[in-house]
Amino acid sequence: MQFRSSDIDTMDTHRRAAFVNSLSGFKSANLVGTANAQGHTNVAIMSSAVHLGSTPPLLALVIRPGEEARHTLNNILDTGCYSLNHVTPDIIEQAHQTAARYPADVSEFAATGLTPVWVEEFGAPMVAEAGIKLGLCLREHQVLAINGTHLIIGEVVLADVPSAWILEEGAVDLSLANSVALSGLDTYWQARALKRMAYAKPDVPPRALTGSDRPEKHAP
Amino acid sequence: MQFRSSDIDTMDTHRRAAFVNSLSGFKSANLVGTANAQGHTNVAIMSSAVHLGSTPPLLALVIRPGEEARHTLNNILDTGCYSLNHVTPDIIEQAHQTAARYPADVSEFAATGLTPVWVEEFGAPMVAEAGIKLGLCLREHQVLAINGTHLIIGEVVLADVPSAWILEEGAVDLSLANSVALSGLDTYWQARALKRMAYAKPDVPPRALTGSDRPEKHAP
Protein backbone atom coordinates (compact mmCIF):
# COMPACT_ATOMS: atom_id res chain seq x y z
CA MET A 1 0.00 0.00 0.00
CA GLN A 2 1.27 3.48 -0.84
CA PHE A 3 0.84 6.09 1.86
CA ARG A 4 1.18 9.64 0.55
CA SER A 5 1.58 12.82 2.63
CA SER A 6 -2.17 13.33 2.83
CA ASP A 7 -2.64 9.78 4.18
CA ILE A 8 -0.01 10.32 6.86
CA ASP A 9 -1.27 13.82 7.76
CA THR A 10 -4.81 12.60 8.34
CA MET A 11 -3.89 9.68 10.61
CA ASP A 12 -4.92 9.88 14.26
CA THR A 13 -2.01 11.35 16.29
CA HIS A 14 -1.10 8.15 18.11
CA ARG A 15 -1.39 6.04 15.00
CA ARG A 16 0.83 8.46 13.06
CA ALA A 17 3.43 8.45 15.87
CA ALA A 18 3.48 4.64 15.91
CA PHE A 19 3.66 4.44 12.11
CA VAL A 20 6.33 7.08 11.49
CA ASN A 21 8.48 5.96 14.43
CA SER A 22 8.74 2.50 12.87
CA LEU A 23 9.74 3.65 9.37
CA SER A 24 13.47 4.25 9.84
CA GLY A 25 14.09 0.63 10.86
CA PHE A 26 15.84 -0.83 13.90
CA LYS A 27 17.22 1.58 16.46
CA SER A 28 19.58 1.43 19.41
CA ALA A 29 18.12 1.13 22.92
CA ASN A 30 20.10 3.29 25.30
CA LEU A 31 19.55 4.52 28.83
CA VAL A 32 20.79 8.09 29.16
CA GLY A 33 22.08 8.81 32.68
CA THR A 34 22.43 12.35 33.99
CA ALA A 35 22.55 14.34 37.20
CA ASN A 36 21.72 17.95 37.96
CA ALA A 37 24.19 20.36 39.60
CA GLN A 38 23.05 19.10 43.03
CA GLY A 39 23.80 15.48 42.07
CA HIS A 40 20.13 14.46 41.77
CA THR A 41 20.10 11.62 39.22
CA ASN A 42 17.92 10.93 36.21
CA VAL A 43 17.78 8.15 33.64
CA ALA A 44 15.75 8.00 30.42
CA ILE A 45 15.34 5.50 27.57
CA MET A 46 16.31 6.90 24.15
CA SER A 47 16.51 5.36 20.71
CA SER A 48 17.95 8.30 18.78
CA ALA A 49 21.71 7.86 19.19
CA VAL A 50 23.54 8.19 15.88
CA HIS A 51 27.23 7.87 15.00
CA LEU A 52 28.74 11.14 13.72
CA GLY A 53 32.40 10.24 13.40
CA SER A 54 35.22 8.35 15.04
CA THR A 55 38.03 10.97 15.05
CA PRO A 56 37.10 12.44 17.48
CA PRO A 57 34.52 9.84 18.64
CA LEU A 58 31.21 11.70 18.35
CA LEU A 59 27.61 10.59 18.83
CA ALA A 60 24.47 12.66 18.37
CA LEU A 61 21.20 12.34 20.27
CA VAL A 62 17.88 13.79 19.13
CA ILE A 63 15.70 14.91 22.03
CA ARG A 64 12.17 16.13 21.47
CA PRO A 65 11.02 19.12 23.49
CA GLY A 66 8.30 18.77 26.07
CA GLU A 67 8.58 15.01 26.27
CA GLU A 68 9.55 12.85 29.22
CA ALA A 69 13.20 13.58 28.46
CA ARG A 70 13.09 17.26 29.48
CA HIS A 71 14.88 16.62 32.79
CA THR A 72 17.59 14.73 30.91
CA LEU A 73 18.00 17.59 28.45
CA ASN A 74 18.23 20.18 31.24
CA ASN A 75 20.83 18.10 33.09
CA ILE A 76 22.97 17.66 29.97
CA LEU A 77 22.89 21.40 29.29
CA ASP A 78 23.61 22.22 32.96
CA THR A 79 26.47 19.79 33.59
CA GLY A 80 27.81 19.10 30.09
CA CYS A 81 27.98 15.35 30.59
CA TYR A 82 25.82 12.27 30.29
CA SER A 83 26.13 8.51 30.00
CA LEU A 84 24.78 6.13 27.36
CA ASN A 85 24.08 2.59 28.56
CA HIS A 86 22.99 -0.32 26.35
CA VAL A 87 19.73 -1.98 27.38
CA THR A 88 19.96 -5.79 27.79
CA PRO A 89 17.06 -8.30 27.87
CA ASP A 90 17.06 -8.43 31.69
CA ILE A 91 16.27 -4.73 32.13
CA ILE A 92 13.74 -4.06 29.34
CA GLU A 93 10.89 -3.44 31.82
CA GLN A 94 12.89 -1.01 33.96
CA ALA A 95 14.35 0.71 30.90
CA HIS A 96 10.94 1.25 29.30
CA GLN A 97 9.47 2.43 32.60
CA THR A 98 11.96 5.35 32.69
CA ALA A 99 9.78 6.91 29.96
CA ALA A 100 6.98 7.54 32.46
CA ARG A 101 6.43 11.18 33.40
CA TYR A 102 7.85 11.17 36.91
CA PRO A 103 8.04 14.50 38.76
CA ALA A 104 11.44 16.25 38.60
CA ASP A 105 12.26 15.34 42.22
CA VAL A 106 11.84 11.59 41.58
CA SER A 107 14.91 9.78 40.25
CA GLU A 108 13.99 7.19 37.64
CA PHE A 109 16.80 5.09 39.10
CA ALA A 110 14.93 4.74 42.39
CA ALA A 111 11.52 4.55 40.74
CA THR A 112 12.45 1.73 38.36
CA GLY A 113 15.01 -0.18 40.42
CA LEU A 114 18.01 0.55 38.20
CA THR A 115 21.30 1.19 40.00
CA PRO A 116 23.33 4.36 39.43
CA VAL A 117 27.07 3.82 39.39
CA TRP A 118 29.62 6.64 39.41
CA VAL A 119 32.92 6.30 37.61
CA GLU A 120 35.97 8.26 38.73
CA GLU A 121 36.39 11.66 37.06
CA PHE A 122 33.07 11.50 35.27
CA GLY A 123 30.11 13.65 36.32
CA ALA A 124 27.09 11.58 35.29
CA PRO A 125 25.81 8.28 36.64
CA MET A 126 26.00 5.12 34.56
CA VAL A 127 23.54 2.22 34.81
CA ALA A 128 25.09 -0.70 36.69
CA GLU A 129 22.81 -3.31 35.09
CA ALA A 130 23.48 -2.18 31.49
CA GLY A 131 25.90 -3.78 29.03
CA ILE A 132 28.15 -1.33 27.21
CA LYS A 133 28.48 1.90 29.22
CA LEU A 134 29.66 5.17 27.67
CA GLY A 135 30.53 8.54 29.15
CA LEU A 136 30.03 11.59 26.92
CA CYS A 137 30.89 15.28 27.13
CA LEU A 138 28.58 17.77 25.41
CA ARG A 139 30.32 19.36 22.41
CA GLU A 140 27.46 21.06 20.57
CA HIS A 141 23.79 21.79 21.15
CA GLN A 142 21.34 23.17 18.66
CA VAL A 143 17.60 23.44 18.31
CA LEU A 144 16.54 22.32 14.84
CA ALA A 145 14.39 25.09 13.35
CA ILE A 146 12.25 22.65 11.38
CA ASN A 147 10.48 21.12 14.39
CA GLY A 148 12.12 22.38 17.57
CA THR A 149 13.90 19.10 18.41
CA HIS A 150 17.23 19.34 20.18
CA LEU A 151 20.38 17.96 18.58
CA ILE A 152 22.91 17.05 21.26
CA ILE A 153 26.39 16.20 20.01
CA GLY A 154 28.75 14.57 22.49
CA GLU A 155 32.25 13.16 22.51
CA VAL A 156 32.81 9.69 23.95
CA VAL A 157 35.40 10.25 26.70
CA LEU A 158 34.87 6.92 28.44
CA ALA A 159 33.82 3.48 27.17
CA ASP A 160 33.39 0.68 29.66
CA VAL A 161 33.51 -2.50 27.57
CA PRO A 162 34.93 -5.84 28.77
CA SER A 163 37.77 -6.87 26.46
CA ALA A 164 36.10 -10.26 25.90
CA TRP A 165 33.38 -8.46 23.91
CA ILE A 166 35.82 -6.82 21.50
CA LEU A 167 36.52 -8.54 18.18
CA GLU A 168 40.00 -8.81 16.73
CA GLU A 169 39.54 -5.87 14.34
CA GLY A 170 38.23 -3.58 17.07
CA ALA A 171 34.42 -3.67 16.87
CA VAL A 172 32.35 -4.58 19.91
CA ASP A 173 30.29 -7.76 19.38
CA LEU A 174 26.79 -6.59 20.32
CA SER A 175 25.59 -10.18 20.82
CA LEU A 176 28.29 -10.79 23.43
CA ALA A 177 27.31 -7.44 24.98
CA ASN A 178 23.71 -8.69 24.99
CA SER A 179 22.49 -5.35 23.58
CA VAL A 180 18.88 -5.19 22.39
CA ALA A 181 17.40 -3.17 19.55
CA LEU A 182 14.26 -1.03 19.65
CA SER A 183 11.66 -0.39 16.98
CA GLY A 184 8.88 2.13 16.89
CA LEU A 185 7.87 3.32 20.34
CA ASP A 186 7.66 0.15 22.36
CA THR A 187 9.13 -3.03 20.85
CA TYR A 188 12.42 -4.55 22.01
CA TRP A 189 14.34 -7.10 19.92
CA GLN A 190 17.19 -9.57 20.29
CA ALA A 191 19.48 -9.85 17.28
CA ARG A 192 21.24 -12.80 15.68
CA ALA A 193 24.21 -12.11 13.40
CA LEU A 194 23.53 -13.10 9.79
CA LYS A 195 26.68 -11.94 8.00
CA ARG A 196 29.81 -9.90 8.48
CA MET A 197 30.88 -8.55 5.11
CA ALA A 198 34.36 -7.88 3.78
CA TYR A 199 35.31 -4.31 2.84
CA ALA A 200 33.52 -3.52 -0.45
CA LYS A 201 35.68 -2.87 -3.53
CA PRO A 202 34.40 -2.10 -7.04
CA ASP A 203 36.35 -4.90 -8.72
CA VAL A 204 35.74 -7.64 -6.13
CA PRO A 205 32.42 -9.49 -5.67
CA PRO A 206 30.80 -9.08 -2.22
CA ARG A 207 32.04 -11.66 0.24
CA ALA A 208 30.84 -12.68 3.71
CA LEU A 209 33.64 -13.11 6.24
CA THR A 210 33.99 -16.28 8.26
CA GLY A 211 35.12 -16.23 11.89
CA SER A 212 38.82 -16.47 11.00
CA ASP A 213 38.79 -13.71 8.40
CA ARG A 214 40.09 -10.32 9.24
CA PRO A 215 38.86 -7.37 7.21
CA GLU A 216 41.60 -5.24 5.66
CA LYS A 217 39.79 -1.95 5.83
CA HIS A 218 36.50 -0.47 6.92
CA ALA A 219 33.19 0.05 5.17
CA PRO A 220 30.58 1.35 4.52
CA MET B 1 37.93 -2.51 30.57
CA GLN B 2 37.71 1.28 30.69
CA PHE B 3 38.77 3.09 27.55
CA ARG B 4 39.48 6.79 28.13
CA SER B 5 39.93 9.48 25.46
CA SER B 6 43.69 8.85 25.27
CA ASP B 7 43.10 5.12 24.65
CA ILE B 8 40.65 5.85 21.84
CA ASP B 9 42.81 8.61 20.32
CA THR B 10 45.85 6.36 20.08
CA MET B 11 44.08 3.43 18.40
CA ASP B 12 45.01 2.64 14.81
CA THR B 13 42.60 4.45 12.45
CA HIS B 14 40.75 1.34 11.25
CA ARG B 15 40.54 -0.13 14.72
CA ARG B 16 39.14 3.15 16.09
CA ALA B 17 36.58 3.33 13.27
CA ALA B 18 35.44 -0.25 13.96
CA PHE B 19 35.31 0.35 17.73
CA VAL B 20 33.53 3.70 17.75
CA ASN B 21 31.07 2.71 15.01
CA SER B 22 29.87 -0.15 17.20
CA LEU B 23 29.34 1.87 20.39
CA SER B 24 25.93 3.41 19.71
CA GLY B 25 24.27 -0.02 19.38
CA PHE B 26 22.10 -1.48 16.64
CA LYS B 27 21.38 0.69 13.62
CA SER B 28 19.00 0.65 10.69
CA ALA B 29 20.21 -0.74 7.35
CA ASN B 30 18.86 1.39 4.52
CA LEU B 31 19.63 1.71 0.85
CA VAL B 32 19.43 5.35 -0.20
CA GLY B 33 18.32 5.70 -3.82
CA THR B 34 18.94 8.88 -5.81
CA ALA B 35 19.29 10.16 -9.36
CA ASN B 36 21.08 13.17 -10.78
CA ALA B 37 19.36 15.82 -12.91
CA GLN B 38 19.98 13.65 -16.00
CA GLY B 39 18.27 10.64 -14.40
CA HIS B 40 21.50 8.69 -13.80
CA THR B 41 20.79 6.52 -10.74
CA ASN B 42 22.78 5.84 -7.59
CA VAL B 43 22.21 3.69 -4.53
CA ALA B 44 24.21 3.58 -1.28
CA ILE B 45 23.98 1.69 2.00
CA MET B 46 23.55 3.93 5.06
CA SER B 47 23.02 3.21 8.74
CA SER B 48 22.54 6.75 10.03
CA ALA B 49 18.79 7.33 9.60
CA VAL B 50 17.23 8.80 12.73
CA HIS B 51 13.62 9.72 13.56
CA LEU B 52 13.14 13.47 14.13
CA GLY B 53 9.39 13.73 14.51
CA SER B 54 6.10 12.43 13.19
CA THR B 55 4.16 15.69 12.58
CA PRO B 56 5.39 16.33 9.95
CA PRO B 57 7.08 12.94 9.39
CA LEU B 58 10.80 13.81 9.41
CA LEU B 59 13.92 11.64 9.26
CA ALA B 60 17.53 12.78 9.39
CA LEU B 61 20.52 11.18 7.68
CA VAL B 62 24.15 11.82 8.61
CA ILE B 63 26.47 11.68 5.61
CA ARG B 64 30.22 11.94 6.03
CA PRO B 65 32.11 14.05 3.49
CA GLY B 66 34.56 12.43 1.11
CA GLU B 67 33.21 8.95 1.61
CA GLU B 68 31.58 6.63 -0.86
CA ALA B 69 28.31 8.49 -0.37
CA ARG B 70 29.41 11.71 -2.09
CA HIS B 71 27.41 10.98 -5.25
CA THR B 72 24.35 10.33 -3.12
CA LEU B 73 24.84 13.62 -1.28
CA ASN B 74 25.26 15.58 -4.52
CA ASN B 75 22.13 14.00 -5.99
CA ILE B 76 20.05 14.80 -2.90
CA LEU B 77 21.19 18.42 -2.96
CA ASP B 78 20.63 18.68 -6.75
CA THR B 79 17.19 17.09 -6.98
CA GLY B 80 15.81 17.51 -3.44
CA CYS B 81 14.57 13.94 -3.22
CA TYR B 82 15.77 10.48 -2.25
CA SER B 83 14.41 7.10 -1.26
CA LEU B 84 15.11 5.00 1.83
CA ASN B 85 14.74 1.25 1.36
CA HIS B 86 15.03 -1.37 4.11
CA VAL B 87 17.65 -4.06 3.52
CA THR B 88 16.35 -7.64 3.87
CA PRO B 89 18.41 -10.84 4.35
CA ASP B 90 18.24 -11.71 0.62
CA ILE B 91 20.04 -8.55 -0.49
CA ILE B 92 22.74 -8.10 2.18
CA GLU B 93 25.59 -8.81 -0.30
CA GLN B 94 24.31 -6.38 -2.92
CA ALA B 95 23.48 -3.76 -0.30
CA HIS B 96 26.94 -3.90 1.26
CA GLN B 97 28.60 -3.84 -2.17
CA THR B 98 27.04 -0.43 -2.89
CA ALA B 99 29.65 0.97 -0.45
CA ALA B 100 32.44 0.27 -2.96
CA ARG B 101 33.96 3.37 -4.57
CA TYR B 102 32.48 3.07 -8.04
CA PRO B 103 33.18 5.91 -10.49
CA ALA B 104 30.43 8.54 -10.79
CA ASP B 105 29.28 7.21 -14.17
CA VAL B 106 28.65 3.70 -12.83
CA SER B 107 25.22 3.12 -11.25
CA GLU B 108 25.46 0.93 -8.16
CA PHE B 109 22.12 -0.52 -9.26
CA ALA B 110 23.72 -2.02 -12.37
CA ALA B 111 26.98 -2.86 -10.63
CA THR B 112 25.36 -4.77 -7.77
CA GLY B 113 22.31 -6.24 -9.48
CA LEU B 114 19.71 -4.27 -7.54
CA THR B 115 16.67 -3.08 -9.50
CA PRO B 116 15.64 0.58 -9.62
CA VAL B 117 11.90 1.15 -9.57
CA TRP B 118 10.24 4.51 -10.21
CA VAL B 119 7.05 5.49 -8.47
CA GLU B 120 4.64 7.97 -10.02
CA GLU B 121 5.25 11.61 -9.07
CA PHE B 122 8.45 10.87 -7.19
CA GLY B 123 11.87 11.85 -8.56
CA ALA B 124 14.21 9.24 -7.07
CA PRO B 125 14.45 5.49 -7.72
CA MET B 126 13.42 2.99 -5.07
CA VAL B 127 14.97 -0.46 -4.68
CA ALA B 128 12.59 -3.14 -5.99
CA GLU B 129 14.10 -5.93 -3.85
CA ALA B 130 13.88 -3.98 -0.57
CA GLY B 131 11.18 -4.33 2.08
CA ILE B 132 9.77 -1.02 3.34
CA LYS B 133 10.32 1.72 0.73
CA LEU B 134 10.14 5.42 1.58
CA GLY B 135 10.23 8.56 -0.55
CA LEU B 136 11.63 11.70 1.06
CA CYS B 137 11.86 15.37 0.12
CA LEU B 138 14.82 17.38 1.38
CA ARG B 139 13.70 19.96 3.97
CA GLU B 140 16.98 21.11 5.52
CA HIS B 141 20.69 20.62 4.92
CA GLN B 142 23.50 21.71 7.16
CA VAL B 143 27.17 20.95 7.56
CA LEU B 144 27.98 20.28 11.21
CA ALA B 145 30.87 22.56 12.19
CA ILE B 146 32.26 20.05 14.65
CA ASN B 147 33.45 17.52 12.06
CA GLY B 148 32.15 18.54 8.64
CA THR B 149 29.49 15.82 8.41
CA HIS B 150 26.31 16.65 6.52
CA LEU B 151 22.95 16.55 8.27
CA ILE B 152 20.19 15.89 5.75
CA ILE B 153 16.65 16.34 7.04
CA GLY B 154 13.85 14.99 4.87
CA GLU B 155 10.08 14.66 5.03
CA VAL B 156 8.52 11.29 4.27
CA VAL B 157 6.11 12.02 1.40
CA LEU B 158 5.63 8.40 0.34
CA ALA B 159 5.69 5.13 2.28
CA ASP B 160 5.25 1.89 0.39
CA VAL B 161 4.28 -0.66 3.06
CA PRO B 162 1.95 -3.64 2.48
CA SER B 163 -0.99 -3.34 4.87
CA ALA B 164 -0.34 -6.90 6.13
CA TRP B 165 2.84 -5.59 7.81
CA ILE B 166 1.03 -2.89 9.78
CA LEU B 167 -0.02 -3.66 13.35
CA GLU B 168 -3.38 -2.64 14.73
CA GLU B 169 -2.06 0.44 16.52
CA GLY B 170 -0.23 1.69 13.42
CA ALA B 171 3.40 0.57 13.75
CA VAL B 172 5.04 -1.46 11.00
CA ASP B 173 6.13 -4.92 12.20
CA LEU B 174 9.78 -5.02 11.14
CA SER B 175 9.90 -8.81 11.38
CA LEU B 176 7.06 -9.13 8.86
CA ALA B 177 8.91 -6.56 6.73
CA ASN B 178 12.01 -8.76 7.07
CA SER B 179 14.16 -5.70 7.83
CA VAL B 180 17.70 -6.35 9.06
CA ALA B 181 19.78 -4.32 11.50
CA LEU B 182 23.40 -3.22 11.07
CA SER B 183 26.14 -2.84 13.65
CA GLY B 184 29.53 -1.24 13.33
CA LEU B 185 30.72 -1.10 9.75
CA ASP B 186 29.98 -4.52 8.37
CA THR B 187 27.70 -6.80 10.44
CA TYR B 188 24.08 -7.52 9.49
CA TRP B 189 21.57 -8.96 11.98
CA GLN B 190 18.14 -10.53 12.01
CA ALA B 191 15.94 -9.57 14.94
CA ARG B 192 13.47 -11.53 17.04
CA ALA B 193 10.87 -9.61 19.06
CA LEU B 194 11.35 -10.01 22.81
CA LYS B 195 8.73 -7.67 24.25
CA ARG B 196 6.30 -4.97 23.30
CA MET B 197 5.74 -2.75 26.31
CA ALA B 198 2.63 -0.88 27.38
CA TYR B 199 2.75 2.93 27.59
CA ALA B 200 4.77 3.80 30.69
CA LYS B 201 2.98 5.62 33.54
CA PRO B 202 4.52 6.66 36.88
CA ASP B 203 1.91 4.91 39.00
CA VAL B 204 1.63 1.66 37.00
CA PRO B 205 4.29 -1.11 37.01
CA PRO B 206 5.86 -1.85 33.61
CA ARG B 207 3.86 -4.40 31.64
CA ALA B 208 4.64 -6.36 28.47
CA LEU B 209 1.76 -6.47 26.00
CA THR B 210 0.45 -9.72 24.62
CA GLY B 211 -0.76 -10.07 21.04
CA SER B 212 -4.32 -9.07 21.85
CA ASP B 213 -3.44 -5.97 23.86
CA ARG B 214 -3.75 -2.57 22.35
CA PRO B 215 -1.67 0.24 23.81
CA GLU B 216 -3.63 3.35 24.79
CA LYS B 217 -0.94 5.88 24.07
CA HIS B 218 2.60 6.15 22.82
CA ALA B 219 5.99 6.08 24.53
CA PRO B 220 8.88 6.68 24.94
Side-chain angles (χ1 to χ4, degrees):
Chain A
M1 180 170 174
Q2 280 189 10
F3 296 86
R4 300 274 175 166
S5 291
S6 56
D7 303 312
I8 300 174
D9 292 348
T10 53
M11 285 179 184
D12 157 78
T13 306
H14 296 146
R15 190 173 183 80
R16 181 170 55 243
F19 181 70
V20 178
N21 267 279
S22 65
L23 293 181
S24 62
F26 289 106
K27 304 183 284 187
S28 55
N30 285 299
L31 286 163
V32 179
T34 57
N36 68 11
Q38 290 73 46
H40 183 79
T41 61
N42 193 292
V43 58
I45 179 86
M46 295 203 188
S47 60
S48 64
V50 61
H51 173 86
L52 279 196
S54 53
T55 313
L58 297 173
L59 298 179
L61 272 181
V62 173
I63 304 185
R64 277 174 295 162
E67 70 180 13
E68 296 75 4
R70 66 198 180 284
H71 304 141
T72 295
L73 179 63
N74 292 342
N75 289 348
I76 293 174
L77 298 179
D78 285 354
T79 67
C81 66
Y82 52 107
S83 70
L84 226 67
N85 308 268
H86 285 215
V87 176
T88 60
D90 288 346
I91 56 168
I92 290 172
E93 279 86 353
Q94 294 98 312
H96 191 76
Q97 185 67 13
T98 63
R101 292 176 193 267
Y102 291 104
D105 62 347
V106 172
S107 169
E108 291 84 0
F109 279 106
T112 65
L114 293 168
T115 312
V117 53
W118 295 85
V119 173
E120 204 177 337
E121 292 175 35
F122 187 71
M126 306 210 167
V127 178
E129 294 83 358
I132 294 168
K133 301 175 182 70
L134 308 176
L136 291 102
C137 288
L138 179 65
R139 292 289 179 249
E140 190 181 318
H141 165 232
Q142 57 168 287
V143 181
L144 296 171
I146 197 162
N147 70 350
T149 50
H150 293 255
L151 184 70
I152 295 286
I153 299 178
E155 179 174 344
V156 179
V157 297
L158 181 61
D160 191 351
V161 185
S163 29
W165 297 352
I166 301 176
L167 300 172
E168 193 182 347
E169 92 286 3
V172 183
D173 183 325
L174 298 185
S175 60
L176 293 176
N178 226 354
S179 303
V180 300
L182 219 165
S183 77
L185 298 158
D186 54 17
T187 308
Y188 296 79
W189 306 73
Q190 190 157 42
R192 180 175 67 86
L194 289 174
K195 278 173 187 163
R196 190 158 71 90
M197 297 297 298
Y199 181 74
K201 295 177 180 177
D203 52 348
V204 179
R207 183 172 64 93
L209 297 170
T210 59
S212 59
D213 278 323
R214 188 169 174 188
E216 304 138 68
K217 289 178 67 183
H218 61 288
Chain B
M1 180 169 174
Q2 279 188 11
F3 296 86
R4 300 274 175 166
S5 291
S6 57
D7 303 312
I8 300 173
D9 291 349
T10 53
M11 284 179 185
D12 157 78
T13 305
H14 296 144
R15 189 173 184 80
R16 181 171 53 241
F19 181 71
V20 177
N21 267 280
S22 64
L23 293 181
S24 63
F26 289 106
K27 305 183 284 187
S28 55
N30 285 300
L31 286 163
V32 179
T34 58
N36 67 12
Q38 289 74 44
H40 183 79
T41 60
N42 193 293
V43 59
I45 179 86
M46 295 202 189
S47 61
S48 63
V50 61
H51 173 85
L52 279 196
S54 52
T55 313
L58 297 173
L59 297 180
L61 271 182
V62 174
I63 303 185
R64 277 174 295 161
E67 70 178 14
E68 296 75 4
R70 65 198 180 285
H71 304 141
T72 296
L73 179 63
N74 293 342
N75 289 348
I76 294 174
L77 299 180
D78 284 355
T79 66
C81 65
Y82 53 106
S83 70
L84 226 68
N85 308 268
H86 286 215
V87 176
T88 60
D90 287 346
I91 57 168
I92 289 171
E93 278 86 354
Q94 294 97 312
H96 191 76
Q97 185 66 14
T98 64
R101 292 175 193 267
Y102 291 103
D105 62 348
V106 172
S107 169
E108 291 84 0
F109 280 107
T112 65
L114 294 168
T115 311
V117 53
W118 295 84
V119 173
E120 205 176 337
E121 292 175 35
F122 187 71
M126 305 210 168
V127 178
E129 294 84 357
I132 294 167
K133 301 174 181 69
L134 309 176
L136 291 101
C137 288
L138 179 65
R139 291 290 180 249
E140 190 182 318
H141 166 232
Q142 57 167 286
V143 181
L144 296 171
I146 197 161
N147 70 351
T149 49
H150 293 256
L151 184 71
I152 296 285
I153 299 178
E155 179 173 345
V156 179
V157 296
L158 181 60
D160 191 351
V161 185
S163 27
W165 298 352
I166 301 176
L167 299 172
E168 194 183 347
E169 91 286 3
V172 183
D173 184 324
L174 298 185
S175 61
L176 293 176
N178 225 356
S179 304
V180 300
L182 219 166
S183 76
L185 297 158
D186 54 17
T187 308
Y188 295 79
W189 306 73
Q190 191 157 41
R192 181 175 66 85
L194 290 173
K195 278 173 187 162
R196 190 158 71 89
M197 298 296 299
Y199 181 74
K201 295 177 180 177
D203 52 348
V204 179
R207 184 171 64 92
L209 297 169
T210 59
S212 59
D213 278 324
R214 188 170 175 187
E216 304 138 69
K217 288 178 69 183
H218 61 288

